[in-house]
Amino acid sequence: MKLAVFLAFLSVAVMAAMIFQAVSQELTLRFLKSRMVENTEQVKRKEDAIVEVKSKIQAMKSKLVFVNTNIDTLKKKKTDSEQKAQEFNKNLQTCNTEKQDVEKKTSGMRESMNKLKADHEQAKKKAQEDIQSLKQQILDRDKAICAFADTSKEEARKLCGL
């Protein structure tokens, strides 16, 4: 009987060890399942975050493309405006040289006009002098004629101022 008790005790001990092992494995499995669920949730959250970041990156890429095209158009506008500014500067320089040439011509014209005016004034003075001398000659001639003219006639009196 001792052997039966020993075998019963041994079988109870083996059974207890197996129950303990089964409970321990069950608890480990539950812990691993809960950990797996948590890990799955974390993976899903991280995947969602990755998808969200990818969409943000895509949006930023599209904005970047738009900004790059705007930068290109602005660069083109800048080069165009610089070329126009250079053309305007060239035109300004040509206008300034033309202006200087015109100013030189006008100063020459003014000098010649002043010279002509001076010559005109001299010619006018000379003509006045000639007119005065001719008037004097006419008066002298009239006086000489009046000395010989018949004062009884009306034309002679008019001529002589009588």
Side-chain angles (χ1 to χ4, degrees):
M1 199 124 146
K2 280 187 174 188
L3 187 60
V5 172
F6 177 72
L7 281 177
F9 179 72
L10 185 63
S11 51
V12 169
V14 168
M15 181 109 91
M18 286 178 72
I19 289 173
F20 177 76
Q21 185 69 25
V23 168
S24 140
Q25 283 181 354
E26 189 65 31
L27 288 175
T28 305
L29 279 175
R30 282 188 184 178
F31 174 73
L32 288 176
K33 281 184 182 180
S34 66
R35 199 164 158 203
M36 192 167 79
V37 168
E38 287 176 7
N39 286 343
T40 307
E41 288 176 4
Q42 284 180 353
V43 167
K44 283 183 182 180
R45 278 187 263 141
K46 287 183 180 180
E47 284 177 352
D48 291 342
I50 289 172
V51 168
E52 191 175 318
V53 167
K54 281 185 179 180
S55 66
K56 286 181 181 178
I57 288 173
Q58 195 67 21
M60 286 184 161
K61 281 184 181 179
S62 65
K63 286 181 183 178
L64 184 64
V65 168
F66 178 72
V67 168
N68 283 337
T69 56
N70 283 345
I71 287 173
D72 291 340
T73 56
L74 290 175
K75 283 181 181 178
K76 287 178 183 178
K77 286 181 182 179
K78 180 182 175 186
T79 55
D80 290 343
S81 63
E82 286 175 351
Q83 289 175 352
K84 287 180 182 180
Q86 289 175 353
E87 289 176 11
F88 288 140
N89 285 335
K90 287 179 183 177
N91 288 339
L92 180 64
Q93 289 175 352
T94 56
C95 286
N96 284 336
T97 55
E98 289 176 3
K99 179 183 173 185
Q100 290 173 352
D101 292 341
V102 168
E103 286 176 352
K104 287 178 183 177
K105 288 179 183 179
T106 55
S107 64
M109 294 285 272
R110 284 185 188 133
E111 289 176 4
S112 62
M113 289 290 287
N114 289 336
K115 187 177 179 183
L116 286 174
K117 283 181 182 178
D119 291 345
H120 177 70
E121 289 295 321
Q122 288 177 353
K124 189 175 178 181
K125 286 180 183 177
K126 186 176 180 185
Q128 288 290 337
E129 290 173 1
D130 289 345
I131 288 172
Q132 287 298 328
S133 67
L134 288 175
K135 281 183 179 178
Q136 190 61 40
Q137 287 176 2
I138 290 172
L139 286 175
D140 291 342
R141 185 192 63 183
D142 286 347
K143 285 181 186 177
I145 291 174
C146 284
F148 297 108
D150 187 15
T151 54
S152 62
K153 292 187 180 178
E154 190 173 326
E155 285 180 15
R157 281 184 279 180
K158 274 185 181 178
L159 183 64
C160 293
L162 299 175

